Amino acid sequence: MVAVAILAAGRGTRMKSSLPKVLHPLGGRSLVERVLESLSSIAPERIFVIVGYEGERVKQALDRYSNVEFVEQAEQLGTGHAVQQLLPHLDGFRGDLLVLNGDVPLMRPQTLESLLKTHRDRDNAATLLTAQHPNPQGYGRVFCQGNNLFQQIVEHRDCTDAQKQNPRINAGIYCFDWPKLSQILPKLQTNNDQGEYYITDAVNYLDPVTVVDVEDYQEILGINDRKQLAAAYDILQTRLKDAAMASGVTLIDPHSVTLDDTIVLEPDTIIEPNTHIRGHSVIGSGSRIGPGSLIENSTIGRNVTVLYSVVSDSIVAEGSRVGPYAHLRGRADIGEGCRIGNFVEIKQTQVGAKTNIAHLSYLGNATLGERVNIGAGTITANYDGFNKHPTHIGSRTKTGSNSVLVAPVNIGEDTTIAAGSVITEDVPDDSLAIARSRQTIKASWKPKMS
Ligand code: UD1
Ligand code: CA
């Protein structure tokens, strides 16, 4: 049996932020969500998140994890004090407690599995995840007898100069035999440079303790400041791009592309330079995205091209072409084989298959049939200053250049709207609507000299 405790009560002073540190986003998920996701292959009996600073906000952010129990650490008196808060909750628990820092977001599930396995195989009182770190500055240093028999952890700030030379660091990830740990927890002292209760001291009191070195030290990067947040983003990007390329995605210039790990890129998509794909986005096979595009929480079908455009919270179906310089947002739903061209903005609008909206248009709160042709400069006037109103445009209709469709309005199928019209009344099927002043010709007319 294993229970998990994620320490997430600290403010994270070094972030210089009003947002609790563990809620800072990293590639589409907060730090603490990433820690929760790293438990995917462990299936713990119970998961505790220790909250304190802005605890309500942290709870809210983790709302969707219904199996998480929150434990309040009202005053943050250190990592040991945080774990002490579990004593009433795990009274009588006979299993192991895996303790994770909420600010270590890049852990691989396999690493946690192997920590647990060593802990159980060796029947340890505690097992500690460590790394040989090229830049150990700031981390607790771990001293061992032989290669992995634990002797002592000393926090960076409590280290002598000689101790600081030790490159083996404490990852902040531990597995404890709970009955043994629960005996030690009440005895923790605050005799250190920060005057805090340290969980690392509990490790110092337990026996036997061994350490497990993580293979890739980048996994255990702890986020204490914005620079480390950026470093973690870099590591995450490298992982995501390597995985994308391995699965058959072409990244023309990986360095100028950013990806979230909540996205799906099907094989044979091509991501051009300066392109960013975020949130719950899916890009279908054969599509070419970019250069210079942002796709956010959107589903792009197969064989779509998106060029210098922004697509958010929208859908683009198979074979459509978007851009350059288009903006699809707020549930734009573009059918198959459409063309959405230069300087076109589409919001909360459904567009039927094979419809063209090629230049300089705004369509909002509209539904368009199939094979519609929207002329350059067609605008839906959908907002009267108080409410948004719908526009319906039937299949095969053509709007002339510079038409204004004043909503609410229904335009039938197979109609033509004359260029420059301001349409305020419904247009029946198979008709021509002209709503502009007639042209006047004054023959043999010259300007008079005054
Ligand atoms: C800790 C370890 C250090 C290790 C490093 C790895 C201790 C004493 N030191 O140091 O050996 O190398 O992590 O990243 O544990 N927290 C609480 N309540 C508190 C204090 C902290 O929940 O009262 C949480 C924080 O929100 C954070 C985590 O515990 O998520 C770690 O705290 P932090 O202050 O960042 O510890 P470090 O100084 O990094
Ligand atoms: Ca830390």
Side-chain angles (χ1 to χ4, degrees), residues 14 21 101 103-104 138-139 222-224 228:
R14 290 166 278 180
K21 172 166 73 175
N101 276 1
D103 64 350
V104 180
Y139 290 96
I223 312 298
N224 299 310
Q228 285 168 326

Side-chain angles (χ1 to χ4, degrees), residues 6-11 20 22 49-59 70-76 82:
I6 298 176
L7 311 189
R11 171 175 183 165
V22 295
V49 175
I50 318 282
V51 295
Y53 176 76
E54 291 265 17
E56 280 310 311
R57 224 163 144 181
V58 177
K59 282 188 203 174
F70 295 97
V71 172
E72 186 99 10
Q73 184 194 14
E75 261 187 297
Q76 290 85 55

Side-chain angles (χ1 to χ4, degrees), residues 6-12 14 21-22 50-52 73 75-83 100-104 136 138-142 153-157 169-174 192 194 196-201 220-224:
I6 298 176
L7 311 189
R11 171 175 183 165
R14 290 166 278 180
K21 172 166 73 175
V22 295
I50 318 282
V51 295
Q73 184 194 14
E75 261 187 297
Q76 290 85 55
L77 305 178
T79 49
H81 181 252
V83 180
L100 305 168
N101 276 1
D103 64 350
V104 180
Y139 290 96
R141 301 300 203 287
V142 178
I153 310 185
V154 186
E155 284 306 291
H156 178 88
R157 53 205 303 162
I169 61 135
N170 169 27
I173 314 278
Y174 325 80
N192 51 59
Q194 289 196 98
E196 290 188 350
Y197 298 95
Y198 284 172
I199 189 63
T200 47
D201 277 346
I220 51 82
L221 176 68
I223 312 298
N224 299 310

Side-chain angles (χ1 to χ4, degrees), residues 297-373:
N297 295 318
S298 294
T299 302
I300 309 290
R302 296 178 164 215
N303 301 318
V304 169
T305 60
V306 177
L307 178 61
Y308 288 110
S309 291
V310 175
V311 180
S312 47
D313 306 308
S314 292
I315 298 173
V316 181
E318 180 160 355
S320 287
R321 286 182 289 156
V322 176
Y325 313 114
H327 186 190
L328 309 184
R329 64 188 178 99
R331 285 178 286 128
D333 180 349
I334 312 298
E336 289 185 8
C338 291
R339 175 155 176 244
I340 312 296
N342 326 247
F343 305 106
V344 170
E345 178 180 358
I346 301 184
K347 192 209 139 198
Q348 205 175 326
T349 286
Q350 245 180 316
V351 177
K354 299 211 160 78
T355 284
N356 290 338
I357 308 162
H359 340 259
L360 301 161
S361 281
Y362 169 67
L363 299 182
N365 305 88
T367 49
L368 281 66
E370 298 187 356
R371 295 177 192 274
V372 173
N373 192 77

Side-chain angles (χ1 to χ4, degrees), residues 55-203:
E56 280 310 311
R57 224 163 144 181
V58 177
K59 282 188 203 174
Q60 257 175 28
L62 299 179
D63 219 15
R64 65 191 179 91
Y65 295 91
S66 51
N67 55 341
V68 165
E69 300 170 61
F70 295 97
V71 172
E72 186 99 10
Q73 184 194 14
E75 261 187 297
Q76 290 85 55
L77 305 178
T79 49
H81 181 252
V83 180
Q84 282 174 347
Q85 308 310 306
L86 292 172
L87 284 165
H89 299 270
L90 284 176
D91 194 23
F93 177 69
R94 311 290 319 158
D96 295 317
L97 178 71
L98 182 64
V99 175
L100 305 168
N101 276 1
D103 64 350
V104 180
L106 298 175
M107 289 297 306
R108 290 194 169 94
Q110 309 87 283
T111 306
L112 295 180
E113 276 176 56
S114 85
L115 180 72
L116 263 175
K117 184 170 185 316
T118 304
H119 181 76
R120 287 174 179 155
D121 290 353
R122 297 212 171 207
D123 208 8
N124 277 340
T127 312
L128 191 64
L129 193 68
T130 55
Q132 305 285 342
H133 207 290
N135 177 19
Q137 174 81 13
Y139 290 96
R141 301 300 203 287
V142 178
F143 299 87
C144 288
Q145 200 178 24
N147 190 36
N148 53 17
L149 189 60
F150 172 86
Q151 277 189 312
Q152 197 193 6
I153 310 185
V154 186
E155 284 306 291
H156 178 88
R157 53 205 303 162
D158 299 311
C159 277
T160 62
D161 283 345
Q163 286 175 320
K164 283 183 185 159
Q165 302 309 309
N166 177 4
R168 187 176 238 161
I169 61 135
N170 169 27
I173 314 278
Y174 325 80
C175 196
F176 293 101
D177 174 290
W178 172 256
K180 289 186 180 147
L181 178 67
S182 60
Q183 298 299 306
I184 298 292
L185 282 174
K187 299 182 187 152
L188 294 180
Q189 308 270 313
T190 56
N191 51 355
N192 51 59
D193 185 55
Q194 289 196 98
E196 290 188 350
Y197 298 95
Y198 284 172
I199 189 63
T200 47
D201 277 346
V203 187

